[in-house]
């Protein structure tokens, strides 16, 4: 169904035919806009931004680009087309028709997942709200705002499901999504990472690289759901999400590129010399990777999870790209899990495969992250420098799961609590690192110019040149 832009809430779900749902969402809309004004990107609400907006859910030509003031962005409800023949692709209900309504016995499970997913979207906007003040270029400023408006739309995606399928409880949860705030002591966001401030652009690129990529994996899992409206919602969210990760990996590649240029100019690999020349030294980039990767790993949940087994068995949540697996039942199989053995070593525990789904997905995620690190390592090697970027072990600095709180080094080897505490100071960004990175965060607002700590992008947006005025400041 085409997207109806005549409506107050653009949609392709025929909202006009369900008056009470339409009224309920129109009641929520001004609250969302108020939240956007209060906790969305600060300072730039009246700037003209070159943004893309979804105009169709077809794979080809789904977006249109144009200059918009952010509060006028058309946040709407877009689901991928329905496949009338779709059947459940995994678990105990495999082969049966997918659900168009929420089964009574899975109501609270599904609601909790949708609320958890929904909560991350406004959280990330809140985390990033001050970043516009220090953007390294207008190109990057536009990228930040594109991410922000689309995370706002992803909130709409989850709020639609809550309103349309969960009655009064759903409406209450939708209100709560605007009441919890990132970092709020009394009402924090649900998942850990989403309460950590993102106050510099290196962290922003780390976040869009590591955390948005968790988002991709979670959305891919939910896109397999037997609850068809959830699956279709997530399928379309993934289309938008790809650009967020693009911002992350190209942003980090540009940071590394600039650092290598400065190292070549100075003929040094001395971190202090690199810093004095206004670039970010490779060891600091490594410490930021250690921090953001370990933080993102927790977002996959515990290694051994009875929740994950229930999601899989019931059809609520599958594995990313479930079709690529041969066996969609995952019964009578085990997953060999590394666990602390309680004596300072590592043991192996066999758990039912269904309980190990979080860990299997976390493994695929880590492999994808590593692929990008190897690309950057190829750049570093090409520059003749011996340093290599590495992902820390999946056991490192965990707060969720069997390794939560465990004293391990970057390679995952158990160490004494004293060595761990001392090691953390060297492995994670120090106050001095953060102060240095912050000192580089000076806004660059002249079209085509880019801050000295990051290389320019390879190309502009939607075929426009890099020096296009992507944001016209009011
Ligand atoms: N922090 O069996 P467990 C994105 C809780 S990012 C705090 O280990 P389960 C985006 C858990 O809730 C993707 N609590 O885990 C990115 C449970 O609590 P209760 C967001 C945590 O349930 C960038 C208990 O621990 N999407 O989209 O198998 C920008 C035991 O649970 C954490 C989703 O998360 C944590 N890290 O899996 C914008 C998808 N981890 O119920 C957006 C929806 C676990 O005992 N969520 N807990 O009180 C899920 O699928 C699952 O809830 C999780 C956890 C994968 C998060």
């Amino acid at each position: 169904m085409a997207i109806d832009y005549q409506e107050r809430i653009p949609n392709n779900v025929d909202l006009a035919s369900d008056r009470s749902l339409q009224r309920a969402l129109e009641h929520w809309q001004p609250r969302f806009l108020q939240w956007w004004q209060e906790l969305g990107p600060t300072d730039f609400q009246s700037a003209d931004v070159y943004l893309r907006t979804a105009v169709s859910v077809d794979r080809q030509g789904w977006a249109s680009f144009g200059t918009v003031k952010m509060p006028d962005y058309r946040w709407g409800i877009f689901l991928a087309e329905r496949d009338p023949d779709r059947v459940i692709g995994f678990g105990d209900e495999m082969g049966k028709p997918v659900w168009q309504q929420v089964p009574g016995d899975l109501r609270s499970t599904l609601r909790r997942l949708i609320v958890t997913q929904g909560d991350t979207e406004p959280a990330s906007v809140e985390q990033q709200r001050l970043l516009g003040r220090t953007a390294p270029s207008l190109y990057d400023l536009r990228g930040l705002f594109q991410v922000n408006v689309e995370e706002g739309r992803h909130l709409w995606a989850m709020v639609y499901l809550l309103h349309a399928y969960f009655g009064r409880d759903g409406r209450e949860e939708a209100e709560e999504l605007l009441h919890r705030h990132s970092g709020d002591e009394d009402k924090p966001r649900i998942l850990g990472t989403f309460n950590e401030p993102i106050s510099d652009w290196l962290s922003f690129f780390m976040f869009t690289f590591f955390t948005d990529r968790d988002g991709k994996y979670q959305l891919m899992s939910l896109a397999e759901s037997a609850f068809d409206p959830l699956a279709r919602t997530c399928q379309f969210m993934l289309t938008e999400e790809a650009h967020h990760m693009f911002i992350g990996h190209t942003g980090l590649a540009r940071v590394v590129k600039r650092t290598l240029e400065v190292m070549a100019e100075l003929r040094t690999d001395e971190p202090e010399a690199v810093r004095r020349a206004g670039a970010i030294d490779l060891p600091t980039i490594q410490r930021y990777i250690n921090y953001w990767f370990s933080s993102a790993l927790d977002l996959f949940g515990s290694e051994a999870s009875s929740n994950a087994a229930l999601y899989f068995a019931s059809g609520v949540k599958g594995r990313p790209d479930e079709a690529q697996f041969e066996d969609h039942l995952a019964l009578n199989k085990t997953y060999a899990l590394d666990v602390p053995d309680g004596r300072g070593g590592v043991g192996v525990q066999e758990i039912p495969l269904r309980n190990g789904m979080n860990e299997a997905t976390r493994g695929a995620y880590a492999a994808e992250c590593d692929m990008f690190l190897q690309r950057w390592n190829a750049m570093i090697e090409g520059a003749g420098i011996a340093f290599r970027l590495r992902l820390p072990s999946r056991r490192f600095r965990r707060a969720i799961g069997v390794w939560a709180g465990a004293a391990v080094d970057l390679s995952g080897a158990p160490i004494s609590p004293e060595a761990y505490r001392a090691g953390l100071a060297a492995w994670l960004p120090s106050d001095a690192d953060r102060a240095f990175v912050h000192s580089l965060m000076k806004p660059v607002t002249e079209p085509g110019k880019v801050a000295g700590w990051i290389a320019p992008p390879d190309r502009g947006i939607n075929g426009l040149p890099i020096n296009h005025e992507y944001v016209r400041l009011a």
Side-chain angles (χ1 to χ4, degrees):
M1 180 177 285
I3 291 181
D4 185 349
Y5 267 96
Q6 305 310 313
E7 294 287 329
R8 265 171 67 183
I9 302 171
N11 69 87
N12 70 348
V13 292
D14 196 15
L15 199 52
S17 72
D18 186 340
R19 285 278 168 217
S20 65
L21 174 59
Q22 187 178 32
R23 265 200 307 276
L25 284 164
E26 286 180 357
H27 188 66
W28 188 81
Q29 189 178 34
R31 294 165 201 254
F32 168 81
L33 289 172
Q34 187 187 350
W35 165 82
W36 178 269
Q37 290 285 354
E38 288 171 5
L39 287 165
T42 188
D43 299 354
F44 292 91
Q45 302 286 356
S46 53
D48 289 316
V49 189
Y50 185 73
L51 292 176
R52 78 174 177 191
T53 305
V55 288
S56 137
V57 294
D58 295 340
R59 270 178 203 282
Q60 305 297 326
W62 62 272
S64 86
F65 285 80
T67 300
V68 185
K69 293 190 197 317
M70 282 186 278
D72 300 334
Y73 185 83
R74 301 301 310 277
W75 284 283
I77 299 161
F78 314 126
L79 273 61
E81 289 294 339
R82 182 173 163 194
D83 170 0
D85 302 324
R86 184 168 176 251
V87 292
I88 301 173
F90 60 91
D92 296 343
E93 307 297 314
M94 190 169 149
K96 295 187 184 159
V98 290
W99 319 316
Q100 299 306 327
Q101 291 297 330
V102 178
D105 56 337
L106 294 172
R107 197 180 158 83
S108 67
T109 302
L110 270 163
R111 192 183 59 213
R112 202 172 65 99
L113 283 180
I114 292 168
V115 166
T116 307
Q117 177 64 49
D119 191 70
T120 63
E121 315 290 0
S124 67
V125 177
E126 292 168 355
Q127 287 173 290
Q128 296 163 14
R129 68 185 298 261
L130 299 178
L131 283 175
R133 291 180 177 166
T134 55
S137 70
L138 290 183
Y139 167 94
D140 291 296
L141 187 59
R142 178 252 166 226
L144 168 71
F145 294 156
Q146 184 72 62
V147 169
N148 291 161
V149 292
E150 285 177 354
E151 299 301 5
R153 204 204 70 70
H154 292 180
L155 170 61
W156 270 96
M158 293 300 130
V159 164
Y160 163 70
L161 294 176
L162 289 170
H163 272 248
Y165 296 97
F166 293 89
R168 177 202 281 260
D169 315 356
R171 290 193 294 278
E172 286 172 5
E173 293 284 10
E175 293 294 319
E176 285 301 304
L177 286 170
L178 296 176
H179 291 156
R180 283 185 293 273
H181 296 317
S182 177
D184 191 306
E185 277 200 8
D186 299 325
K187 285 194 143 232
R189 291 298 177 182
I190 297 171
L191 299 174
T193 304
F194 293 90
N195 289 301
E196 288 163 29
I198 304 176
S199 53
D200 65 73
W201 279 75
L202 182 59
S203 298
F204 173 64
F205 292 132
M206 293 281 169
F207 183 91
T208 41
F209 181 75
F210 286 118
T211 315
D212 277 275
R213 195 172 309 280
D214 165 62
K216 168 184 151 178
Y217 276 79
Q218 297 298 338
L219 290 175
M220 284 173 81
S221 302
L222 295 174
E224 300 289 338
S225 181
F227 178 40
D228 202 39
L230 173 62
R232 290 164 56 211
T233 308
C234 292
Q235 282 160 24
F236 186 64
M237 288 164 77
L238 281 161
T239 310
E240 292 170 315
E241 192 67 31
H243 184 65
H244 306 185
M245 286 174 296
F246 166 87
I247 287 181
H249 75 78
T250 56
L252 292 177
R254 288 163 56 207
V255 174
V256 171
K257 184 176 175 197
R258 181 65 195 139
T259 301
L260 295 175
E261 283 169 6
V262 167
M263 291 171 82
E265 278 161 26
L266 300 177
R267 293 168 185 275
T268 180
D269 56 5
E270 236 331 286
E272 275 313 315
V274 174
R275 284 184 176 203
R276 276 196 300 278
I280 304 175
D281 52 290
L282 295 174
T284 298
I285 296 173
Q286 178 65 60
R287 287 191 285 275
Y288 272 70
I289 289 175
N290 295 344
Y291 178 86
W292 283 104
F293 178 65
S294 53
S295 174
L297 288 175
D298 278 338
L299 296 174
F300 290 83
S302 306
E303 287 79 0
S305 167
S306 54
N307 285 344
L310 166 75
Y311 301 153
F312 189 85
S314 61
V316 160
K317 186 179 171 188
R319 288 170 288 191
D321 264 336
E322 182 62 43
Q324 69 171 327
F325 295 91
E326 272 176 24
D327 163 22
H328 303 293
L329 293 180
L331 274 176
N332 309 321
K333 293 215 172 80
T334 56
Y335 189 96
L337 198 64
D338 287 349
V339 291
D341 68 4
R343 300 185 302 276
V346 181
V348 175
Q349 190 189 334
E350 296 281 335
I351 58 167
L353 181 55
R354 286 182 173 189
N355 293 57
M357 292 298 177
N358 290 345
E359 184 58 9
T361 306
R362 188 171 11 244
Y365 162 84
E368 186 173 301
C369 293
D370 193 54
M371 187 186 76
F372 284 96
L373 260 71
Q374 296 321 321
R375 281 196 209 167
W376 306 332
N377 280 336
M379 290 163 58
I380 297 172
E381 188 177 3
I385 290 159
F387 193 96
R388 296 289 176 267
L389 295 168
R390 287 197 173 79
L391 290 178
S393 158
R394 274 150 48 196
R395 302 172 197 161
F396 175 68
R397 204 178 76 97
R398 294 290 303 280
I400 298 282
V402 288
W403 291 96
V408 298
D409 66 13
L410 289 176
S411 73
I415 53 177
S416 72
E418 298 74 36
Y420 179 64
R421 269 194 299 277
L424 278 185
W427 297 327
L428 299 178
S430 65
D431 289 346
D433 291 337
R434 290 185 188 282
F436 167 69
V437 171
H438 274 249
S439 76
L440 298 176
M441 299 296 128
K442 303 264 164 40
V444 176
T445 54
E446 199 180 319
K449 291 267 182 304
V450 180
W453 55 270
I454 182 167
D458 288 339
R459 61 184 72 84
I461 296 294
N462 193 32
L464 291 177
I466 294 170
N467 65 2
H468 181 77
E469 194 172 4
Y470 287 103
V471 181
R472 210 165 316 121
L473 306 171

